[in-house]
Each structure stands twice: as C-alpha cells, then as structure tokens.
Amino acid sequence: MHTLWRKMAAACLGAVLFLGAAGCSSKPAADNKGKGAGPYANLPKVVLVGGDSSGKGSVGQRFGERVAQKVAERTGG
C-alpha cells in the first residue's frame, strides 16, 4: 500500500514539475524587443512588486527604495 502512495506522489510531483517547465517560454517578449540598449534589451519585461509591514521612513522602506533604484539603474528603467 505504501508503494502505491509513493508512486502516486511521484507521478503527481513529476506532472507538477513538467507543467511548471512547460509554462516557461524561451522567446523574448514581443512588446519589449529592441527597446533600450545593453545586455538586457531583449529580455521580457518584468514588473516586481515588493511589500513589507515596516512604517513610513523606516529602514525597511528605505532599503526597498534603494533596491528599486539600483535595479532601475542596472536595467535601464
């Protein structure tokens, strides 16, 4: 009985991994192609959203703003 559950769990895990990989595409996004310059010009556009529970003006907020600034600098916006 335990081997049946293990086989079923392995099959489900394999299906999840396969479907997760199938959702990834190797083609760059058409709406972002050719915009900008540098090594990041042909990558698909990604929007990162961050959130935390720290108050306004706290170290956590300042850190998040600094990370956003550095990402914008390195990726050209």
Side-chain angles (χ1 to χ4, degrees):
M1 186 68 156
H2 288 352
T3 58
L4 177 63
W5 282 106
R6 286 184 183 175
K7 287 180 182 179
M8 287 177 55
C12 288
L13 182 59
V16 168
L17 290 173
F18 175 76
L19 293 175
C24 299
S25 174
S26 61
K27 296 189 296 185
D31 63 335
N32 200 28
K33 190 173 184 180
K35 294 182 181 177
Y40 305 109
N42 292 325
L43 292 177
K45 184 176 180 179
V46 175
V47 177
L48 300 176
V49 178
D52 61 31
S53 60
S54 43
K56 192 170 186 171
S58 67
V59 174
Q61 180 199 8
R62 292 189 308 222
F63 175 75
E65 290 172 355
R66 182 73 172 162
V67 168
Q69 178 187 13
K70 288 292 184 181
V71 168
E73 286 174 7
R74 292 186 183 209
T75 61

